[in-house]
Amino acid sequence: MSFDQLPEEILQKIFDYLPHAEHIDKTRVSRRWNRLALKETYLILAYGESVISERILQRTSRGYCCFSIEFSESYEALRAKLALCAKKFFLRKLILDGIQTYAIMTFVDEHRLWLRSLVHLSITSINQINTFGDDVELELPRLRILSWTFNTDSGNRQMPVFRIRAPLLEDVYIEHGDLDRTPLILENTSRLKSLGLFVPRLIEGLCPNGLESATCLRVYNSSSPFEWNIDRFNLPRLQTLELCGCSVNSNSTLFLRNFRNLEMLVIQTETSNVIDLTVVAHSLPKLRILRLFEIKVRSSETSITFPSLQTMDLNDTICSDMPTINARNLMTLKGTSLNVNSFILTDYSVVRCLILYDLYLNFRQPRQFSSLMILYLDVPCDDANPMLAECLLQFPRLFRLTIVLHNKRAPINISGHFLAMAFVDLNYLHMRNFDLDYNFLEGINKARRLMTLILQDGTLAVSTDDRQFAFNEVQYFYMKNVMLPKQVINFPILYPTGAQRGLSLAEGNVFSTETWDDLNIKSQEDYVTYLVH
């Protein structure tokens, strides 16, 4: 018997042992594998005051199932339905929202065998009363993703410790208040890749066997994000570190020296926190991606060298000392024009992608980014006449261009002839929330290398008298939620093949093409992936 002839139940069990990152790859092997990967029943057993009936459960076909339960009622009210599900379904994903801690203990005791097939477990538990008892052991041989939030806002902090035995565990998120001991113990962390937590001082109790394989650590809302003994508990393979809402000071920055292999650093905190960019550069020689959100940056040296840096994201972050940054591999910059102008690059020609949240106008050195190939421009239109053309002319070698307008006070147009003549290498154009007309379409049709044109939101003023024409070079043309005049019943453009699309307008004259291909429509994060990978 060949592998493809195995029964579906056996194939599903084999799939459970695949690494989480390979679950998408398996869908590309064959149509059968793709169908099996998506063949899951998602049931919401309880949401608010609504509870699923036993009749629906009886009629639902057997198979792998994902359950979501919001405990607005007591656990006892759902006990019979859970027992029926345990007999009928293989449990694959389980979401328990608002369950009492004592109810988790009861649920585990009643359904230990059913829980063994879990791959993804998400729990938000409430400890309204102090819960006493011995440690609760959970044997989850297939579990890969675990998210557990312990809500102790009521002040009752006495609860048992849950011991998780999951040899395949890869991703963990645990949230709780400042407790004296960890409410969760992970006994198998040999394959754990990603860990998110709120109280880092309890990390040794959470993972008693260490984190030798961890490549990503996320710390949230901690006043001391590195409050553990690094000599006894180190992370030798750590590549990604995220500090979200944490207090950061000079000691925190110096602690980064313990992660010499770090490739991505994300710090999102209050503007009252200050970090020294010089220390970051000296501590992390392999750093590829640096993202700083709402934080003050200073530099103890006038010149800083990042030998491996490829992406720098400075969102509401200002370098007060105006340092000179030497980053010969830097390809992507992200932030506002004020953020970008708060430092000096030794070589601006290395930057290939720029993601801006306002207009960038540099009249002293207008062609500073003359080698830029990809531009994502997110423009708040505080002015009725934003200087879009003046901004775009600073980047003559653009290959991909996306412009998004916000908070328009008046209609905003742009010339298609201007774009076609100013950017002879333009291959991809995505315009959102513009007010365009037929002349724009005729003008952009003269762009000799344009392959993809996307018009999203906004308006397009065409009329029934406009002559029909076909795009010369455009192979992908998309429109989504574009308002046309009421009298227009047919779109005046022939598709590149020469055959008229014949697409009718939806109610309200909001027009969209039939196919919205996400593979060809890049978001701002896709730009970074496009360059780095």
Side-chain angles (χ1 to χ4, degrees):
M1 179 182 293
S2 68
F3 194 78
D4 286 335
Q5 293 176 326
L6 290 174
E8 293 185 358
E9 292 79 8
I10 296 178
L11 277 176
Q12 284 281 18
K13 291 184 178 181
I14 294 174
F15 289 161
D16 287 345
Y17 289 95
L18 285 174
H20 182 66
E22 297 181 10
H23 276 275
I24 295 179
D25 295 336
K26 75 185 180 188
T27 62
R28 302 170 181 157
V29 174
S30 65
R31 291 184 179 179
R32 186 186 182 214
W33 283 32
N34 181 65
R35 179 173 54 83
L36 287 176
L38 302 177
K39 187 179 180 182
E40 293 181 353
T41 304
Y42 190 89
L43 290 177
I44 301 177
L45 293 187
Y47 183 78
E49 298 180 355
S50 302
V51 180
I52 196 169
S53 67
E54 292 190 18
R55 182 182 178 186
I56 295 177
L57 291 176
Q58 293 285 3
R59 295 175 59 183
T60 305
S61 60
R62 295 176 179 268
Y64 280 83
C65 199
C66 302
F67 288 102
S68 176
I69 308 173
E70 182 183 286
F71 285 88
S72 57
E73 298 186 20
S74 64
Y75 171 76
E76 288 73 16
L78 297 174
R79 177 173 284 172
K81 295 181 175 61
L82 287 171
L84 176 59
C85 292
K87 295 179 181 179
K88 190 170 183 178
F89 301 105
F90 293 103
L91 188 58
R92 192 176 189 87
K93 180 178 180 179
L94 180 62
I95 302 173
L96 303 176
D97 187 7
I99 186 172
Q100 293 286 342
T101 304
Y102 79 89
I104 299 178
M105 301 169 64
T106 306
F107 178 71
V108 170
D109 288 337
E110 294 178 353
H111 300 290
R112 286 188 182 275
L113 291 177
W114 192 37
L115 293 172
R116 288 177 64 88
S117 62
L118 266 178
V119 176
H120 187 159
L121 176 61
S122 177
I123 299 177
T124 301
S125 61
I126 299 176
N127 202 53
Q128 289 184 342
I129 59 174
N130 287 328
T131 305
F132 300 92
D134 298 330
D135 292 356
V136 179
E137 296 185 357
L138 269 170
E139 194 80 29
L140 305 172
R142 298 183 184 180
L143 189 68
R144 295 185 179 277
I145 302 175
L146 173 63
S147 174
W148 202 319
T149 299
F150 296 86
N151 191 335
T152 57
D153 292 342
S154 60
N156 299 301
R157 299 182 173 221
Q158 185 67 38
M159 68 181 75
V161 175
F162 294 87
R163 292 181 174 271
I164 308 294
R165 295 175 181 173
L168 301 180
L169 195 60
E170 296 179 0
D171 191 342
V172 173
Y173 170 88
I174 175 172
E175 178 180 351
H176 58 77
D178 192 8
L179 303 176
D180 296 330
R181 64 170 184 170
T182 175
L184 194 68
I185 296 178
L186 307 175
E187 298 194 353
N188 305 99
T189 53
S190 59
R191 295 193 179 187
L192 189 63
K193 302 297 183 184
S194 177
L195 174 63
L197 73 168
F198 280 69
V199 187
R201 65 179 175 80
L202 299 179
I203 192 173
E204 297 180 48
L206 174 66
C207 307
N209 295 317
L211 289 171
E212 296 293 325
S213 301
T215 58
C216 176
L217 176 64
R218 305 182 305 275
V219 183
Y220 302 94
N221 299 343
S222 175
S223 57
S224 302
F226 301 118
E227 193 178 6
W228 76 83
N229 192 330
I230 193 64
D231 295 328
R232 292 188 304 172
F233 196 92
N234 57 11
L235 295 89
R237 299 186 181 181
L238 192 66
Q239 296 179 355
T240 301
L241 176 62
E242 299 183 17
L243 305 177
C244 302
C246 299
S247 298
V248 181
N249 51 37
S250 57
N251 293 331
S252 305
T253 311
L254 290 173
F255 198 87
L256 295 175
R257 295 175 180 175
N258 297 294
F259 311 121
R260 302 290 292 180
N261 294 321
L262 202 66
E263 295 183 1
M264 179 175 177
L265 176 63
V266 179
I267 301 178
Q268 182 175 0
T269 182
E270 298 178 357
T271 53
S272 58
N273 291 272
V274 181
I275 66 168
D276 192 330
L277 206 58
T278 305
V279 177
V280 174
H282 292 333
S283 304
L284 307 174
K286 297 183 180 180
L287 191 65
R288 295 173 55 244
I289 301 175
L290 176 62
R291 291 179 173 174
L292 304 176
F293 298 86
E294 299 179 356
I295 188 171
K296 293 181 181 179
V297 176
R298 68 178 182 86
S299 175
S300 55
E301 299 178 5
T302 57
S303 180
I304 310 171
T305 299
F306 286 96
S308 305
L309 191 64
Q310 296 181 6
T311 300
M312 186 159 61
D313 183 355
L314 304 176
N315 198 334
D316 292 333
T317 298
I318 305 297
C319 301
S320 57
D321 299 324
M322 198 75 173
T324 299
I325 297 179
N326 179 18
R328 60 180 182 273
N329 295 311
L330 185 63
M331 293 188 294
T332 302
L333 275 178
K334 184 177 178 182
T336 65
S337 59
L338 185 62
N339 302 147
V340 173
N341 287 325
S342 64
F343 60 88
I344 300 171
L345 287 179
T346 56
D347 187 2
Y348 285 88
S349 65
V350 298
V351 180
R352 291 290 184 268
C353 176
L354 192 58
I355 301 173
L356 291 171
Y357 294 105
D358 58 3
L359 290 176
Y360 178 83
L361 295 169
N362 190 335
F363 294 103
R364 294 184 178 181
Q365 295 176 300
R367 295 297 176 93
Q368 203 167 45
F369 291 99
S370 59
S371 299
L372 194 74
M373 299 177 63
I374 299 174
L375 176 63
Y376 184 101
L377 201 58
D378 197 313
V379 184
C381 301
D382 299 328
D383 192 346
N385 297 303
M387 302 175 67
L388 276 176
E390 291 82 353
C391 174
L392 295 175
L393 283 174
Q394 299 173 105
F395 316 106
R397 295 184 57 186
L398 285 182
F399 182 78
R400 304 174 69 92
L401 173 61
T402 295
I403 309 176
V404 180
L405 301 181
H406 291 295
N407 304 323
K408 293 191 305 180
R409 297 183 179 180
I412 296 179
N413 197 348
I414 193 169
S415 170
H417 292 85
F418 162 73
L419 294 175
M421 296 179 64
F423 309 107
V424 294
D425 296 324
L426 194 62
N427 178 272
Y428 173 102
L429 177 61
H430 184 175
M431 305 184 66
R432 187 167 182 177
N433 207 17
F434 274 85
D435 301 283
L436 305 174
D437 54 21
Y438 180 79
N439 290 329
F440 169 82
L441 297 176
E442 279 197 321
I444 202 63
N445 191 34
K446 295 179 172 59
R448 299 180 58 184
R449 298 186 180 181
L450 188 65
M451 302 287 288
T452 301
L453 175 60
I454 303 161
L455 306 181
Q456 186 176 356
D457 303 327
T459 63
L460 182 61
V462 294
S463 69
T464 55
D465 297 330
D466 291 331
R467 65 179 181 87
Q468 292 185 342
F469 71 93
F471 279 124
N472 295 328
E473 303 294 338
V474 174
Q475 295 185 6
Y476 304 100
F477 174 60
Y478 304 99
M479 293 178 64
K480 188 171 185 179
N481 301 331
V482 178
M483 181 73 70
L484 273 71
K486 293 182 178 181
Q487 67 273 16
V488 176
I489 58 174
N490 288 310
F491 196 64
I493 289 182
L494 302 177
Y495 209 61
T497 57
Q500 187 172 0
R501 301 273 287 178
L503 298 177
S504 60
L505 299 177
E507 184 178 355
N509 283 48
V510 178
F511 182 89
S512 298
T513 52
E514 290 179 342
T515 304
W516 181 259
D517 191 350
D518 290 328
L519 294 177
N520 293 305
I521 299 171
K522 303 291 184 182
S523 67
Q524 54 176 311
E525 295 299 328
D526 293 328
Y527 282 114
V528 179
T529 305
Y530 174 80
L531 277 179
V532 174
H533 300 290

